[in-house]
Amino acid sequence: MRTLYLCLAAASMATAIAGVTAGATAETKLTYGSYLPAPHLVHKNGLEPLFKELEQATNGSLKFELFPGGAMGGGKAMLQIVRDRVTDSSIIIDAYVKRDLPASAALAELAVVGEDNRVMAGAVNELQLLECKQCSSEQKRNRYKALAFYSTSPYNLMCTSEIATLADLEGKKARATSAFGVMMKDLGATPVSITSSEIYEAMQRGQADCTVGSPAWLTSYSLKDVVKAILDVPLGTYHGALVYNMNQKTWSALTTAERQAIIKAMPGLVSRIVQAYNDESKDAINAAMQGSGVVIVKPGADLMTKLNAFRKGEKARVIAKAEEDGVKNAEEMIDKFLALIEKWKGIVAETGDDTAKYEKALWDNVYSKISADS
């Protein structure tokens, strides 16, 4: 695998160099690696429209090639392929590479505060791209330029059988990462750590009885075929998905106009993905209920009591975990994040469902402040 990485890296670098040295009118092909399946909404609603938009905005000087479905490696390899310039960009999930991105992972660890993915996407982009020095240091250390994060719609517990009480959940194997894994253990389940692309097979084979995830996955990962029940309580969001980034050398080799075009396109990318998660979650639940017989289960009082008690202790746990992982001034960073969440709650209350207003808010508060000169 290492030989493959090195060969691909050399090819990618040669392409980038050719694009730069061929002259101002040269075409530069930028590659993107993703472990997500090809039809995933991140590709369909986010990246594919972005690539077309940028090709038009740069009059064809930028071209893009997407390698989906793990063609360049699994979820845990995505940071490495950008860092080593195997691909120019990739989707990076900090939960899979916590040792390399401890500050970013700490922000995502505070999952239970996520109630609206538009709020969480606004807050995490503002903090990660403008306000978090440790996040910037992590990005520089791993040789990439961070450009856009998204948040999923609120997660639910989706299982192969009906789960309503603590007794129902006791001993069940639940696929869950980071804070959600801690949550499942606290509720009596056994957390199973696998990537999202492996969930279907794990549930099909009985290696997992449940998964914590977005209902959109019923469609994105075809989980409607194995999920029989969804617990009707939002558990939080995953807001640590770095959907657009670029190897720092690749970014530096672009023209200022090309970099500015990319920055201008980021609010639309973020907006489309968060909206697609919301739309697909609703549609997937309706389709699964009608076509696959999936049932929505109300949580029992004992489960809700335990869950609410868990939520109250999360801030202190996340801060302690971040400090243990070497994050300096963790409490200050988390408090700043919580303040930005409150700020974006106010913004989203004003923008409502108007995507144009939401994108303008992202531009005004975040992307207008990012320089294209570096």
Side-chain angles (χ1 to χ4, degrees):
M1 182 61 73
R2 179 171 174 79
T3 301
L4 174 62
Y5 277 169
L6 292 174
C7 291
L8 287 169
S12 178
M13 189 175 296
T15 301
I17 292 172
V20 173
T21 57
T25 59
E27 174 189 300
T28 300
K29 177 176 281 188
L30 299 175
T31 55
Y32 189 104
S34 173
Y35 71 96
L36 299 174
H40 197 283
L41 66 86
V42 165
H43 303 150
K44 181 176 62 176
N45 298 88
L47 294 172
E48 290 170 6
L50 171 73
F51 297 157
K52 291 179 182 178
E53 177 184 348
L54 289 175
E55 287 182 17
Q56 293 176 355
T58 61
N59 294 318
S61 71
L62 294 183
K63 299 286 185 180
F64 298 85
E65 186 170 8
L66 173 65
F67 294 94
M72 293 296 183
K76 296 177 181 179
M78 293 294 99
L79 174 61
Q80 181 184 348
I81 65 172
V82 172
R83 183 172 57 207
D84 295 347
R85 215 175 181 187
V86 176
T87 61
D88 299 301
S89 305
S90 74
I91 181 168
I92 297 174
I93 305 299
D94 53 26
Y96 298 154
V97 285
K98 290 182 179 180
R99 290 185 179 180
D100 294 294
L101 306 174
S104 180
L107 297 173
E109 189 79 10
L110 199 60
V112 297
V113 298
E115 299 175 352
D116 185 320
N117 62 348
R118 296 166 299 180
V119 170
M120 300 309 295
V124 76
N125 276 296
E126 185 166 353
L127 185 63
Q128 286 262 21
L129 303 183
L130 300 178
E131 302 291 340
C132 179
K133 292 182 180 179
Q134 289 193 75
C135 301
S136 297
S137 296
E138 289 176 357
Q139 295 156 19
K140 290 177 182 177
R141 186 166 63 248
N142 287 284
R143 301 191 291 275
Y144 67 82
K145 173 78 171 177
L147 290 159
F149 292 80
Y150 72 80
S151 171
T152 66
S153 53
Y155 277 8
N156 291 84
L157 183 66
M158 301 180 284
C159 301
T160 56
S161 62
E162 292 189 26
I163 301 291
T165 67
L166 292 175
D168 295 335
L169 195 53
E170 182 69 32
K172 290 290 192 296
K173 298 185 293 292
R175 180 270 173 190
T177 58
S178 302
F180 295 111
V182 179
M183 177 190 292
M184 287 298 103
K185 186 175 182 180
D186 190 71
L187 295 177
T190 301
V192 179
S193 180
I194 57 176
T195 64
S196 54
S197 59
E198 299 170 307
I199 298 172
Y200 182 93
E201 185 175 357
M203 295 184 76
Q204 186 182 48
R205 294 185 175 185
Q207 297 166 336
D209 303 298
C210 303
T211 184
V212 178
S214 168
W217 294 357
L218 292 167
T219 300
S220 297
Y221 297 111
S222 299
L223 295 187
K224 63 182 181 295
D225 297 334
V226 291
V227 167
K228 299 304 178 186
I230 300 174
L231 189 66
D232 189 21
V233 56
L235 301 177
T237 55
Y238 175 68
H239 40 262
L242 177 54
V243 66
Y244 207 73
N245 54 71
M246 195 169 290
N247 175 276
Q248 186 60 58
K249 287 186 177 179
T250 301
W251 176 256
S252 298
L254 300 180
T255 67
T256 300
E258 288 168 340
R259 290 194 292 265
Q260 185 62 32
I262 292 172
I263 292 169
K264 285 184 175 180
M266 291 299 99
L269 172 65
V270 174
S271 177
R272 287 193 304 273
I273 293 176
V274 297
Q275 188 60 48
Y277 257 103
N278 289 335
D279 292 343
E280 193 160 303
S281 291
K282 295 173 185 175
D283 293 344
I285 289 176
N286 291 334
M289 290 174 65
Q290 295 173 11
S292 305
V294 174
V295 297
I296 306 299
V297 181
K298 294 292 182 182
D302 63 337
L303 194 152
M304 284 306 303
T305 298
K306 186 76 170 176
L307 180 59
N308 289 333
F310 173 82
R311 285 171 168 158
K312 290 178 181 179
E314 272 299 86
K315 178 183 174 182
R317 183 192 68 81
V318 169
I319 291 171
K321 180 69 167 60
E323 291 173 344
E324 181 183 324
D325 291 341
V327 178
K328 298 178 181 178
N329 302 315
E331 184 171 5
E332 178 183 344
M333 181 182 74
I334 294 298
D335 283 340
K336 184 177 291 187
F337 187 39
L338 291 171
L340 285 173
I341 291 171
E342 291 304 311
K343 170 186 173 179
W344 277 89
K345 284 181 179 178
I347 291 172
V348 169
E350 293 181 3
T351 63
D353 295 328
D354 190 321
T355 56
K357 288 183 178 179
Y358 180 66
E359 289 172 21
K360 185 177 186 303
L362 286 168
W363 175 258
D364 291 344
N365 289 274
V366 183
Y367 288 99
S368 64
K369 302 175 183 180
I370 298 175
S371 173
D373 294 331
S374 59

